[in-house]
Short mmCIF file of all heavy atoms in Angstrom, two decimals:
data_model
loop_
_atom_site.label_atom_id
_atom_site.label_comp_id
_atom_site.label_asym_id
_atom_site.label_seq_id
_atom_site.Cartn_x
_atom_site.Cartn_y
_atom_site.Cartn_z
N ALA A 1 127.66 130.66 150.19
CA ALA A 1 128.73 129.73 150.13
C ALA A 1 129.84 130.18 149.31
O ALA A 1 130.99 129.56 149.36
CB ALA A 1 128.34 128.30 149.96
N GLU A 2 129.64 131.33 148.56
CA GLU A 2 130.71 131.77 147.59
C GLU A 2 131.63 132.70 148.30
O GLU A 2 131.39 133.28 149.34
CB GLU A 2 130.07 132.38 146.35
CG GLU A 2 129.27 131.30 145.53
CD GLU A 2 130.22 130.50 144.63
OE1 GLU A 2 131.42 130.72 144.71
OE2 GLU A 2 129.62 129.72 143.85
N ALA A 3 132.96 132.89 147.61
CA ALA A 3 133.79 133.85 148.11
C ALA A 3 134.57 134.39 146.97
O ALA A 3 134.41 133.97 145.74
CB ALA A 3 134.81 133.20 149.05
N GLY A 4 135.50 135.45 147.23
CA GLY A 4 136.34 135.91 146.17
C GLY A 4 135.52 136.75 145.21
O GLY A 4 136.12 136.98 144.02
N GLY A 5 134.38 137.34 145.50
CA GLY A 5 133.66 138.13 144.52
C GLY A 5 132.70 137.35 143.69
O GLY A 5 131.98 137.89 142.88
N TYR A 6 132.85 135.93 143.77
CA TYR A 6 131.86 135.15 142.98
C TYR A 6 130.58 135.04 143.65
O TYR A 6 130.43 135.21 144.88
CB TYR A 6 132.54 133.78 142.90
CG TYR A 6 133.81 133.79 142.04
CD1 TYR A 6 135.06 133.77 142.69
CD2 TYR A 6 133.85 133.94 140.65
CE1 TYR A 6 136.29 133.75 141.99
CE2 TYR A 6 134.98 133.90 139.91
CZ TYR A 6 136.21 133.88 140.61
OH TYR A 6 137.39 133.91 139.86
N GLY A 7 129.54 134.80 142.98
CA GLY A 7 128.15 134.66 143.41
C GLY A 7 127.59 135.97 143.89
O GLY A 7 126.57 135.88 144.76
N VAL A 8 128.11 137.12 143.36
CA VAL A 8 127.50 138.39 143.82
C VAL A 8 126.86 138.97 142.52
O VAL A 8 127.33 139.09 141.45
CB VAL A 8 128.61 139.36 144.23
CG1 VAL A 8 128.05 140.76 144.48
CG2 VAL A 8 129.46 138.81 145.47
N VAL A 9 125.48 139.25 142.74
CA VAL A 9 124.67 139.77 141.65
C VAL A 9 123.94 140.95 142.08
O VAL A 9 123.39 141.07 143.10
CB VAL A 9 123.50 138.69 141.30
CG1 VAL A 9 122.63 139.22 140.28
CG2 VAL A 9 124.25 137.49 140.75
N PHE A 10 123.98 142.04 141.24
CA PHE A 10 123.28 143.20 141.49
C PHE A 10 121.88 143.13 140.72
O PHE A 10 121.95 142.93 139.50
CB PHE A 10 124.08 144.49 140.90
CG PHE A 10 125.33 144.79 141.95
CD1 PHE A 10 126.50 144.06 141.67
CD2 PHE A 10 125.10 145.72 142.78
CE1 PHE A 10 127.58 144.46 142.51
CE2 PHE A 10 126.17 146.08 143.63
CZ PHE A 10 127.46 145.38 143.55
N GLY A 11 120.90 143.26 141.51
CA GLY A 11 119.56 143.10 140.90
C GLY A 11 119.31 144.02 139.69
O GLY A 11 118.60 143.57 138.75
N ASN A 12 119.77 145.22 139.69
CA ASN A 12 119.49 146.18 138.56
C ASN A 12 120.32 145.92 137.30
O ASN A 12 120.09 146.50 136.30
CB ASN A 12 119.73 147.58 139.06
CG ASN A 12 121.13 147.92 139.51
OD1 ASN A 12 122.01 147.10 139.44
ND2 ASN A 12 121.21 149.21 139.89
N LYS A 13 121.32 144.94 137.47
CA LYS A 13 122.07 144.52 136.27
C LYS A 13 121.57 143.46 135.47
O LYS A 13 122.08 143.07 134.45
CB LYS A 13 123.49 144.21 136.70
CG LYS A 13 124.19 145.37 137.54
CD LYS A 13 124.53 146.57 136.61
CE LYS A 13 125.32 147.56 137.39
NZ LYS A 13 125.62 148.86 136.61
N LEU A 14 120.44 142.83 135.98
CA LEU A 14 119.95 141.57 135.35
C LEU A 14 118.85 141.95 134.31
O LEU A 14 118.10 142.90 134.43
CB LEU A 14 119.27 140.67 136.45
CG LEU A 14 120.24 140.13 137.54
CD1 LEU A 14 119.39 139.14 138.35
CD2 LEU A 14 121.40 139.33 136.81
N THR A 15 118.74 141.19 133.25
CA THR A 15 117.77 141.23 132.24
C THR A 15 116.49 140.72 132.94
O THR A 15 116.52 140.04 133.93
CB THR A 15 118.02 140.60 131.02
OG1 THR A 15 118.07 139.18 131.29
CG2 THR A 15 119.41 140.91 130.44
N ARG A 16 115.39 140.96 132.15
CA ARG A 16 114.06 140.58 132.69
C ARG A 16 114.08 138.95 133.01
O ARG A 16 113.69 138.42 133.97
CB ARG A 16 112.95 140.90 131.82
CG ARG A 16 111.66 140.45 132.36
CD ARG A 16 110.43 140.98 131.38
NE ARG A 16 109.17 140.51 131.94
CZ ARG A 16 107.99 140.96 131.29
NH1 ARG A 16 108.01 141.79 130.24
NH2 ARG A 16 106.88 140.53 131.80
N SER A 17 114.63 138.21 131.98
CA SER A 17 114.66 136.73 132.10
C SER A 17 115.59 136.22 133.17
O SER A 17 115.34 135.37 133.88
CB SER A 17 114.95 136.22 130.71
OG SER A 17 116.37 136.53 130.25
N GLN A 18 116.77 136.94 133.24
CA GLN A 18 117.77 136.70 134.28
C GLN A 18 117.10 136.84 135.70
O GLN A 18 117.38 136.08 136.58
CB GLN A 18 119.04 137.44 134.08
CG GLN A 18 119.81 136.96 132.95
CD GLN A 18 120.97 138.03 132.64
OE1 GLN A 18 120.80 139.19 133.02
NE2 GLN A 18 122.23 137.41 132.11
N LYS A 19 116.37 138.06 135.77
CA LYS A 19 115.75 138.33 137.02
C LYS A 19 114.69 137.17 137.44
O LYS A 19 114.69 136.79 138.51
CB LYS A 19 115.10 139.70 136.98
CG LYS A 19 114.34 140.08 138.28
CD LYS A 19 113.73 141.40 137.97
CE LYS A 19 112.90 141.84 139.18
NZ LYS A 19 112.20 143.12 139.13
N GLU A 20 113.92 136.83 136.52
CA GLU A 20 112.87 135.87 136.79
C GLU A 20 113.62 134.49 137.20
O GLU A 20 113.11 133.76 138.16
CB GLU A 20 112.04 135.56 135.57
CG GLU A 20 111.17 136.76 135.23
CD GLU A 20 110.40 136.62 133.91
OE1 GLU A 20 110.76 135.68 133.16
OE2 GLU A 20 109.53 137.41 133.63
N GLU A 21 114.68 134.14 136.52
CA GLU A 21 115.43 132.87 136.90
C GLU A 21 116.10 132.98 138.24
O GLU A 21 116.02 131.94 139.01
CB GLU A 21 116.54 132.67 135.82
CG GLU A 21 117.27 131.42 135.99
CD GLU A 21 118.41 131.20 134.89
OE1 GLU A 21 118.31 131.88 133.93
OE2 GLU A 21 119.23 130.35 135.08
N PHE A 22 116.60 134.14 138.60
CA PHE A 22 117.28 134.31 139.89
C PHE A 22 116.21 134.24 141.08
O PHE A 22 116.42 133.63 142.02
CB PHE A 22 117.98 135.65 139.94
CG PHE A 22 119.13 135.60 140.91
CD1 PHE A 22 120.43 135.30 140.56
CD2 PHE A 22 118.84 135.82 142.30
CE1 PHE A 22 121.46 135.26 141.50
CE2 PHE A 22 119.79 135.83 143.23
CZ PHE A 22 121.18 135.52 142.76
N ILE A 23 115.10 134.85 140.83
CA ILE A 23 114.04 134.90 141.84
C ILE A 23 113.58 133.40 142.04
O ILE A 23 113.25 133.05 143.15
CB ILE A 23 112.86 135.79 141.43
CG1 ILE A 23 113.40 137.23 141.58
CG2 ILE A 23 111.63 135.50 142.26
CD1 ILE A 23 112.36 138.35 141.04
N ALA A 24 113.39 132.69 140.86
CA ALA A 24 113.05 131.28 141.06
C ALA A 24 114.03 130.49 141.94
O ALA A 24 113.64 129.69 142.79
CB ALA A 24 112.91 130.61 139.62
N MET A 25 115.35 130.81 141.78
CA MET A 25 116.29 130.10 142.62
C MET A 25 116.25 130.50 144.06
O MET A 25 116.34 129.69 144.95
CB MET A 25 117.76 130.45 142.12
CG MET A 25 118.19 129.74 140.78
SD MET A 25 119.96 129.89 140.48
CE MET A 25 120.22 131.62 140.40
N ILE A 26 115.95 131.83 144.34
CA ILE A 26 115.79 132.28 145.69
C ILE A 26 114.56 131.53 146.26
O ILE A 26 114.69 131.16 147.46
CB ILE A 26 115.60 133.78 145.68
CG1 ILE A 26 116.88 134.46 145.29
CG2 ILE A 26 115.24 134.32 147.21
CD1 ILE A 26 116.75 135.96 145.18
N LYS A 27 113.62 131.49 145.58
CA LYS A 27 112.35 130.85 146.16
C LYS A 27 112.59 129.31 146.41
O LYS A 27 112.00 128.70 147.46
CB LYS A 27 111.13 130.98 145.27
CG LYS A 27 110.59 132.41 145.21
CD LYS A 27 109.45 132.64 144.24
CE LYS A 27 108.80 133.97 144.30
NZ LYS A 27 107.65 134.10 143.36
N ALA A 28 113.34 128.62 145.51
CA ALA A 28 113.56 127.26 145.64
C ALA A 28 114.54 127.05 146.77
O ALA A 28 114.50 125.95 147.48
CB ALA A 28 114.10 126.68 144.35
N GLU A 29 115.67 127.93 147.05
CA GLU A 29 116.68 127.68 147.95
C GLU A 29 116.91 128.93 148.75
O GLU A 29 117.88 129.62 148.69
CB GLU A 29 117.94 127.25 147.27
CG GLU A 29 117.89 126.04 146.43
CD GLU A 29 119.23 125.78 145.75
OE1 GLU A 29 120.17 125.26 146.46
OE2 GLU A 29 119.38 126.08 144.64
N PRO A 30 115.92 129.38 149.63
CA PRO A 30 116.00 130.57 150.42
C PRO A 30 117.24 130.58 151.34
O PRO A 30 117.68 131.66 151.71
CB PRO A 30 114.72 130.63 151.19
CG PRO A 30 114.09 129.16 151.14
CD PRO A 30 114.60 128.57 150.01
N ARG A 31 117.63 129.44 151.82
CA ARG A 31 118.80 129.44 152.70
C ARG A 31 120.06 129.67 151.93
O ARG A 31 121.11 130.06 152.59
CB ARG A 31 118.91 127.93 153.34
CG ARG A 31 120.16 127.69 154.15
CD ARG A 31 120.36 128.61 155.36
NE ARG A 31 121.35 128.38 156.23
CZ ARG A 31 122.67 128.66 156.07
NH1 ARG A 31 122.94 129.46 155.02
NH2 ARG A 31 123.63 128.43 156.92
N ARG A 32 120.14 129.74 150.66
CA ARG A 32 121.25 129.82 149.94
C ARG A 32 121.77 131.26 149.69
O ARG A 32 122.91 131.51 149.41
CB ARG A 32 121.15 129.11 148.58
CG ARG A 32 122.31 129.16 147.61
CD ARG A 32 121.98 128.51 146.32
NE ARG A 32 122.94 128.88 145.20
CZ ARG A 32 122.96 128.49 143.98
NH1 ARG A 32 121.80 127.80 143.57
NH2 ARG A 32 123.81 128.79 143.13
N PHE A 33 120.82 132.17 149.88
CA PHE A 33 121.19 133.59 149.56
C PHE A 33 120.82 134.60 150.66
O PHE A 33 120.01 134.24 151.59
CB PHE A 33 120.22 133.95 148.30
CG PHE A 33 120.47 133.21 147.06
CD1 PHE A 33 119.63 132.14 146.88
CD2 PHE A 33 121.54 133.53 146.21
CE1 PHE A 33 119.82 131.32 145.71
CE2 PHE A 33 121.72 132.72 145.15
CZ PHE A 33 120.87 131.60 144.84
N ILE A 34 121.62 135.67 150.63
CA ILE A 34 121.24 136.85 151.38
C ILE A 34 121.16 137.99 150.42
O ILE A 34 121.60 137.98 149.30
CB ILE A 34 122.33 137.19 152.41
CG1 ILE A 34 123.66 137.62 151.89
CG2 ILE A 34 122.57 136.12 153.55
CD1 ILE A 34 124.66 138.18 152.76
N ALA A 35 120.48 139.01 150.82
CA ALA A 35 120.35 140.25 150.08
C ALA A 35 120.77 141.44 150.96
O ALA A 35 120.47 141.49 152.04
CB ALA A 35 118.96 140.46 149.53
N GLN A 36 121.44 142.36 150.27
CA GLN A 36 121.90 143.61 151.06
C GLN A 36 121.60 144.83 150.28
O GLN A 36 121.51 144.93 149.04
CB GLN A 36 123.45 143.52 151.30
CG GLN A 36 123.91 142.37 152.16
CD GLN A 36 125.29 142.34 152.37
OE1 GLN A 36 126.12 142.61 151.53
NE2 GLN A 36 125.83 142.03 153.69
N GLU A 37 121.43 145.96 151.11
CA GLU A 37 121.27 147.30 150.44
C GLU A 37 122.60 147.58 149.81
O GLU A 37 123.69 147.26 150.38
CB GLU A 37 120.94 148.31 151.46
CG GLU A 37 119.69 148.07 152.33
CD GLU A 37 118.38 148.31 151.48
OE1 GLU A 37 118.52 148.86 150.27
OE2 GLU A 37 117.26 147.96 151.94
N VAL A 38 122.60 148.23 148.64
CA VAL A 38 123.83 148.61 147.95
C VAL A 38 124.36 149.87 148.69
O VAL A 38 123.77 150.89 148.69
CB VAL A 38 123.53 148.91 146.55
CG1 VAL A 38 124.81 149.38 145.91
CG2 VAL A 38 123.02 147.74 145.90
N ILE A 39 125.48 149.70 149.34
CA ILE A 39 126.22 150.82 149.94
C ILE A 39 126.97 151.55 149.02
O ILE A 39 127.93 150.99 148.42
CB ILE A 39 126.98 150.35 151.23
CG1 ILE A 39 126.03 149.73 152.24
CG2 ILE A 39 127.72 151.55 151.84
CD1 ILE A 39 126.94 148.99 153.35
N ASP A 40 126.82 152.91 148.87
CA ASP A 40 127.66 153.71 147.95
C ASP A 40 128.82 154.01 148.85
O ASP A 40 128.99 155.09 149.38
CB ASP A 40 126.87 155.04 147.58
CG ASP A 40 127.63 155.74 146.49
OD1 ASP A 40 128.68 155.15 145.96
OD2 ASP A 40 127.31 156.94 146.23
N PHE A 41 129.72 153.11 148.75
CA PHE A 41 130.97 153.32 149.65
C PHE A 41 132.07 154.09 149.15
O PHE A 41 131.99 154.45 147.98
CB PHE A 41 131.42 151.82 150.31
CG PHE A 41 131.86 150.87 149.21
CD1 PHE A 41 133.13 150.80 148.79
CD2 PHE A 41 130.97 149.92 148.82
CE1 PHE A 41 133.63 149.79 147.85
CE2 PHE A 41 131.35 148.95 147.80
CZ PHE A 41 132.70 148.96 147.38
N GLN A 42 132.93 154.32 150.01
CA GLN A 42 134.11 155.37 149.66
C GLN A 42 134.92 154.97 148.38
O GLN A 42 135.21 153.88 148.17
CB GLN A 42 134.98 155.40 150.90
CG GLN A 42 136.02 156.61 150.89
CD GLN A 42 136.91 156.40 152.10
OE1 GLN A 42 137.33 155.35 152.51
NE2 GLN A 42 137.12 157.66 152.74
#
């Protein structure tokens, strides 16, 4: 539901605790998120 670059998180940029917190959110609200492969774009 976010736009303008907000709500975008790169998995490899999170600390261990942040990662655990984010995964908990995904499990609690799976409809709220999508995940994409990181495209090394032009």
Side-chain angles (χ1 to χ4, degrees):
E2 293 282 1
Y6 295 99
V8 177
V9 173
F10 288 82
N12 62 2
K13 301 293 185 183
L14 299 181
T15 65
R16 182 175 178 178
S17 60
Q18 288 171 331
K19 177 179 174 180
E20 291 173 351
E21 182 179 347
F22 204 95
I23 287 174
M25 284 196 298
I26 294 174
K27 289 180 176 179
E29 301 179 83
R31 172 63 176 84
R32 180 181 166 187
F33 300 96
I34 64 169
Q36 293 179 322
E37 303 287 353
V38 179
I39 297 172
D40 188 12
F41 58 91
Q42 187 181 42

